[in-house]
Amino acid sequence: MKVAIAGAGAVGRSIARELLVNRHEVTLFERKSAHIDPGAVPDANWVQADACELSNLERAELQTYDVMVAATGDDKANLVVSLLAKTEFAVNRVVARVNDPRNEWLFDEDWGVDVAVSTPRILASLVEEAVSVGDLVRLMTFRQGQANLVELTLPANTPLAGKPVRKLALPRDAALVTILRGGRVIVPQNDDPIEGGDELVFIAPAEAEPALYEAMRLGN
């Protein structure tokens, strides 16, 4: 993929390095000259420009990019970048960093955001996930379509033990995407059995979460 990242601070650079390892083409936009350091991420393209300025994005031909990542330390800037990327350049995927959790409600499709990433929320989710066997934990919200990534760790005595994936009575629009078991990542197949202690990761709309929790708890 061709990925643009607004903000070349510590977060932006880290994202760029990860994407480059996976052989994506990455361009970093940074308005502060002090943060321009091509040696820090030598395989990325560096552009000294304010990504909040429409003319700068036009010169960079942002419409040719697959993904825009708004990763600055300023929520206002991230919202502007997201809106421009989606409405002016029709970028297919816009991911935005939320610095202040109090602003998270703004990061939705109205501002062009497909996925909002809030570090405090993710950390809190990971803490919950570590201590909440049997509870449904929301890991991430995908704003476009209002779907959530949710996780549930089955207790050892789950009534689902031994039941194949195809027998799970999942609510409408909910899908099991991954089973985490003993350090393994399993892409579930219809005949794969469920075991106690499995961590199940689902995609589900918010309104389906209560029914999903009940189905997993009761082993329906």
Side-chain angles (χ1 to χ4, degrees):
M1 293 186 299
K2 194 174 180 182
V3 183
I5 300 174
V11 172
R13 294 180 189 183
S14 295
I15 295 169
R17 292 187 190 101
E18 290 294 325
L19 291 169
L20 288 164
V21 166
N22 290 311
R23 307 181 72 83
H24 299 297
E25 182 182 342
V26 177
T27 298
L28 283 160
F29 291 82
E30 176 55 56
R31 67 182 181 85
K32 297 179 180 178
S33 59
H35 289 175
I36 299 292
D37 183 8
V41 192
D43 294 325
N45 303 310
W46 288 73
V47 177
Q48 185 174 354
D50 187 347
C52 292
E53 294 289 337
L54 181 61
S55 58
N56 292 333
L57 299 179
E58 287 175 338
R59 279 193 292 272
E61 299 182 336
L62 193 67
Q63 70 275 9
T64 65
Y65 285 75
D66 301 296
V67 182
M68 165 58 85
V69 182
T72 79
D74 185 333
D75 284 344
K76 296 188 295 295
N78 289 342
L79 286 171
V80 171
V81 169
S82 298
L83 186 63
L84 290 175
K86 185 64 73 174
T87 61
E88 298 296 327
F89 300 94
V91 175
N92 184 55
R93 188 75 164 168
V94 177
V95 180
R97 171 189 177 188
V98 184
N99 296 279
D100 186 338
R102 292 173 297 181
N103 296 330
E104 189 172 2
W105 65 276
L106 287 166
F107 286 73
D108 60 15
E109 64 273 12
D110 291 338
W111 280 94
V113 178
D114 295 311
V115 180
V117 181
S118 170
T119 300
R121 177 180 288 275
I122 290 174
L123 290 174
S125 296
L126 291 172
V127 169
E128 289 180 330
E129 186 269 337
V131 300
S132 303
V133 173
D135 290 335
L136 200 66
V137 177
R138 185 177 297 176
L139 300 176
M140 183 177 292
T141 297
F142 299 97
R143 298 295 185 182
Q144 194 173 50
Q146 299 300 309
N148 299 318
L149 188 69
V150 296
E151 183 269 352
L152 184 142
T153 300
L154 297 175
N157 62 347
T158 177
L160 291 170
K163 181 174 287 191
V165 167
R166 59 185 164 80
K167 292 287 189 179
L168 296 179
L170 301 180
R172 183 177 179 180
D173 298 329
L176 176 63
V177 294
T178 304
I179 301 172
L180 304 177
R181 179 184 297 157
R184 295 174 57 208
V185 178
I186 301 170
V187 178
Q189 305 299 315
N190 283 337
D191 293 326
D192 288 341
I194 300 298
E195 296 181 6
D198 281 354
E199 295 180 50
L200 307 181
V201 181
F202 301 89
I203 293 285
E207 60 270 18
E209 289 180 15
L212 177 60
Y213 170 72
E214 284 301 307
M216 296 299 99
R217 183 177 68 88
L218 300 175
N220 293 334

